[in-house]
Amino acid sequence: MRVRAQGSQRGVKKLSVIVTCTDRKMFVPPPALRVSSLPTGTVSSRLGTWTDRIHAETHRTPLSGLYKGEHWLQAHAVVDAAARAGFTAELWVVSAGLGLQPVTASFPTYAATFNAGHEDSVAPTGVDRRLWWRELQERMGTSTLAELGSRGPMLLVLSEVYGSVLTTELRELGQAGTDALLVGGTEDISGVQRVPANGSLRKALGGTLTGLNARMAVSWLAHCEDGVLTSPATTESWTRWVERSAHRETYNRTPMTDAEVKDFIRASAAEQPGVSRTRLHRLLRESGRACEQKRFANLYSETMGER
């Protein structure tokens, strides 16, 4: 039974911070809690088996202590930045294995992803991934984006694949008239202000491209001085900073062998579950290495098929 989000207390500026989960976890999942162990069948039947296994596992950990890696560290940095901006932030995670959950909730460690080429992918097509998400939310989700939006402003930091899978919920959020900002994602949503991932800010923000979206969110909050997440003043201040800080990195790119490209794809896909082929190619080029687009696409298909 889904627990509906409760209204905010009067006078408290609550901010719901929504981030994607990460493949990097503190504990190794048991075999039964890897999507790759599910029997073949329809999305609904596989999901039913999956949620039964999640509920049956007794060894649980708060989500705040389950994930690790740069992305997760930066997710907590977003919460800290929200506090400095005058918000009381609550961190939520969107997970291919658990649905939308607060980080205070406890669950067993697991392996599930929306990356179509990953061994623990929940489904091979976009249609089936969106179906999995909808039914997963009905079975396990604590709230929807629109329900959280009824509490107050929302800051979403989403990868491309999660932005695609959550399109329907994002559109419902946009229709709700909530003060909402999406950093990353895959497309503009009416009613939700979006800041696309911007690799030219990596030098100014530091860190790796893995944590770029979250670092952008931290920077946005640093420009929010009027208590309104997407106010014209905040947007203008951020835009001026981007114009001053953007640095288009150019490289004398180094050619790579097929084996080197495949190693790059394996390592990057493991670190960033759900990352698209297009973004992986962009990451490779931004790292100063070269691989022609069609060749990269072929090697990507071969590599992900081997997993």
Side-chain angles (χ1 to χ4, degrees):
M1 178 74 66
R2 176 180 295 155
V3 179
R4 297 277 171 169
Q6 301 298 313
S8 60
Q9 297 178 359
R10 182 174 299 178
V12 178
K13 292 188 296 182
K14 287 191 175 180
L15 176 68
S16 296
V17 176
I18 316 298
V19 300
T20 56
C21 67
T22 174
D23 191 44
R24 301 189 63 190
K25 298 183 177 68
M26 298 296 293
F27 313 103
V28 177
L33 291 185
R34 303 193 71 99
V35 166
S36 56
S37 71
L38 292 176
T40 58
T42 65
V43 170
S44 295
S45 66
R46 295 174 72 246
L47 181 59
T49 301
W50 175 256
T51 55
D52 286 346
R53 291 179 179 182
I54 290 288
H55 290 311
E57 178 59 50
T58 58
H59 187 272
R60 294 167 175 255
T61 303
L63 295 181
S64 58
L66 180 61
Y67 305 108
K68 65 179 181 178
E70 184 188 6
H71 167 72
W72 193 240
L73 289 174
Q74 291 307 311
H76 286 285
V78 174
V79 173
D80 293 340
R84 293 192 295 270
F87 295 99
T88 300
E90 185 176 46
L91 185 60
W92 292 69
V93 179
V94 286
S95 161
L98 306 175
L100 177 58
Q101 302 289 347
V103 298
T104 53
S106 294
F107 286 95
T109 189
Y110 66 96
T113 179
F114 285 122
N115 187 332
H118 195 283
E119 63 181 350
D120 290 308
S121 175
V122 300
T125 69
V127 171
D128 282 348
R129 288 192 288 274
R130 287 187 284 274
L131 175 59
W132 173 282
W133 175 258
R134 187 181 73 227
E135 295 196 11
L136 178 66
Q137 278 283 77
E138 292 173 355
R139 291 171 180 263
M140 295 190 62
T142 306
S143 186
T144 67
L145 297 183
E147 288 166 1
L148 283 183
S150 69
R151 299 175 53 173
M154 294 183 63
L155 172 55
L156 304 103
V157 184
L158 302 180
S159 64
E160 290 181 348
V161 69
Y162 271 93
S164 176
V165 170
L166 271 66
T167 296
T168 298
E169 283 204 33
L170 287 168
R171 289 173 179 167
E172 291 172 352
L173 174 64
Q175 294 170 0
T178 302
D179 181 20
L181 177 71
L182 168 61
V183 180
T186 187
E187 64 178 81
D188 293 339
I189 303 291
S190 178
V192 177
Q193 185 163 332
R194 178 175 175 239
V195 179
N198 187 344
S200 69
L201 297 176
R202 189 194 63 80
K203 184 175 181 180
L205 295 174
T208 69
L209 288 167
T210 300
L212 176 62
N213 286 354
R215 290 176 184 274
M216 288 174 60
V218 169
S219 180
W220 179 280
L221 287 165
H223 291 82
C224 181
E225 300 179 356
D226 55 7
V228 181
L229 189 63
T230 61
S231 69
T234 298
T235 302
E236 181 180 357
S237 177
W238 161 264
T239 301
R240 288 199 305 267
W241 178 80
V242 170
E243 291 173 349
R244 295 192 307 268
S245 305
H247 175 75
R248 182 65 61 186
E249 298 181 350
T250 57
Y251 304 96
N252 180 17
R253 295 189 175 92
T254 303
M256 303 174 70
T257 65
D258 286 0
E260 289 171 336
V261 174
K262 286 186 172 185
D263 286 344
F264 170 84
I265 292 170
R266 291 189 193 96
S268 299
E271 185 177 354
Q272 304 178 63
V275 66
S276 68
R277 186 195 71 202
T278 301
R279 178 156 176 77
L280 274 184
H281 188 225
R282 186 164 64 247
L283 292 175
L284 181 141
R285 290 172 59 84
E286 289 175 349
S287 70
R289 290 167 285 184
C291 181
E292 186 268 332
Q293 185 172 355
K294 184 175 181 180
R295 174 174 166 243
F296 185 87
N298 291 334
L299 292 173
Y300 176 89
S301 297
E302 291 177 12
T303 304
M304 301 308 284
E306 294 168 358
R307 293 173 66 95

